Amino acid sequence: MAEWVNGKVVDVTNWTENLFSIKVNAPVAPFTAGQFAKLALEIDGERVQRAYSYVSAPDNPDLEFYLVNVPEGKLSPRLHALQPGDQIMVTKEAAGFFVLNEVPECETLWMLATGTAIGPYLSILQQGEGLTRFRHIVLVHAARYAADLSYLPMMQQLVERYQGQLRIQTVVSREEAPGSLTGRVPALIENGSLERAVGLPMDAQSSHIMLCGNPQMVRDTQQLLKDTRGMQKHLRRKPGHITSEHYW
């Protein structure tokens, strides 16, 4: 049974009408970059909870989460309405295996995300530990509209920090935007556009692919990589090329 601690909201950032970030101070246990916690509120006498990945690095006391407000949802509209000073419940222990120590050695680590699933990668990259074993890191953030690329400024700062090791690429599916590819991630892999834009191959000899986000994107991309690149899902008992996490 999960142990809950009380937290205090310290900041809420509204990126778009429905995308927002929330920062919380809470006495949580140490976590590993890439893991998630559960947030909860008491609503009509019931604890309503959902899982959200940490965006912040483990050494940051401001616990940051990136959320989408689902208007018909039971919890997210209430979270969206929170103000600094409000109380929120957080699971003390983080969970999840979408972490670097589960990723095998490779030359190029691809981090592919849709929507709010960019969070775990930002936590990993802000922490900065365990990344020197990769020659190249590619961070891809796919969203519907350019305005949904909330953390692009942070991504650009990380490029500077990593001094040539990190490359970023944004993807927008419903409009054309300067600097972004247009379309869905699986199609951009299938036609080679993503690799051309980044300037690196995505192959079984040199690459490991981390997939996080929309379950359809994750399934379609896994199947495509299996069929066209000879890649397999990575398991502890059977090393492979793909590590994935569905985001709902």
Side-chain angles (χ1 to χ4, degrees):
M1 191 126 182
E3 181 180 353
W4 294 87
V5 295
N6 290 319
K8 183 175 75 171
V9 176
V10 295
D11 185 64
V12 178
T13 300
N14 292 300
W15 301 104
T16 66
E17 183 179 356
N18 289 315
L19 289 171
F20 66 103
S21 297
I22 185 169
K23 292 182 180 178
V24 178
N25 282 161
V28 298
F31 66 92
T32 302
Q35 289 190 305
F36 63 87
K38 290 182 179 179
L39 302 180
L41 294 172
E42 290 284 345
I43 300 173
D44 298 328
E46 175 191 1
R47 179 190 289 151
V48 181
Q49 62 188 37
R50 297 288 184 273
Y52 299 102
S53 292
Y54 283 105
V55 174
S56 48
D59 58 0
N60 190 336
D62 290 336
L63 309 175
E64 185 170 359
F65 304 91
Y66 184 36
L67 297 79
V68 59
N69 181 9
V70 181
E72 66 275 16
K74 195 168 185 179
L75 181 62
S76 62
R78 304 291 187 101
L79 294 175
H80 198 189
L82 290 173
Q83 299 293 322
D86 287 345
Q87 298 295 305
I88 187 172
M89 288 175 282
V90 187
T91 46
K92 184 174 182 178
E93 301 284 346
F97 298 98
F98 199 70
V99 294
L100 276 187
N101 60 15
E102 296 289 336
V103 173
E105 300 290 331
C106 65
E107 183 173 344
T108 302
L109 177 63
W110 293 79
M111 298 175 161
L112 276 56
T114 58
T116 56
I118 191 70
Y121 300 131
L122 296 177
S123 181
I124 289 168
L125 290 167
Q126 288 183 93
Q127 181 73 352
E129 295 181 0
L131 292 167
T132 55
R133 60 193 175 103
F134 308 111
R135 182 178 178 187
H136 304 292
I137 304 167
V138 182
L139 176 61
V140 178
H141 188 199
R144 292 180 298 174
Y145 301 100
D148 299 336
L149 300 168
S150 309
Y151 285 91
L152 181 56
M154 180 187 287
M155 292 166 63
Q156 293 167 334
Q157 290 172 2
L158 287 166
V159 169
E160 296 297 320
R161 171 179 163 182
Y162 281 90
Q163 301 180 341
Q165 184 189 18
L166 174 65
R167 307 181 192 192
I168 62 173
Q169 181 61 55
T170 54
V171 176
V172 176
S173 62
R174 298 191 181 180
E175 64 180 1
E176 293 188 4
S180 294
L181 295 174
T182 306
R184 293 185 66 245
V185 168
L188 295 170
I189 294 173
E190 187 172 22
N191 65 26
S193 296
L194 181 57
E195 290 158 284
R196 286 194 295 272
V198 171
L200 290 169
M202 184 183 289
D203 56 41
Q205 290 70 44
S206 65
S207 304
H208 190 87
I209 319 299
M210 296 181 76
L211 297 170
C212 189
N214 182 305
Q216 193 63 54
M217 182 279 288
V218 172
R219 285 192 294 267
D220 290 350
T221 303
Q222 283 185 152
Q223 192 63 48
L224 174 71
L225 294 173
K226 179 180 179 181
D227 294 343
T228 65
R229 310 294 172 99
M231 294 183 173
Q232 300 294 329
K233 188 172 182 178
H234 177 68
L235 304 170
R236 284 180 176 177
R237 64 182 182 276
K238 187 179 179 183
H241 317 91
I242 305 168
T243 299
S244 63
E245 182 163 274
H246 293 184
Y247 222 57
W248 61 79

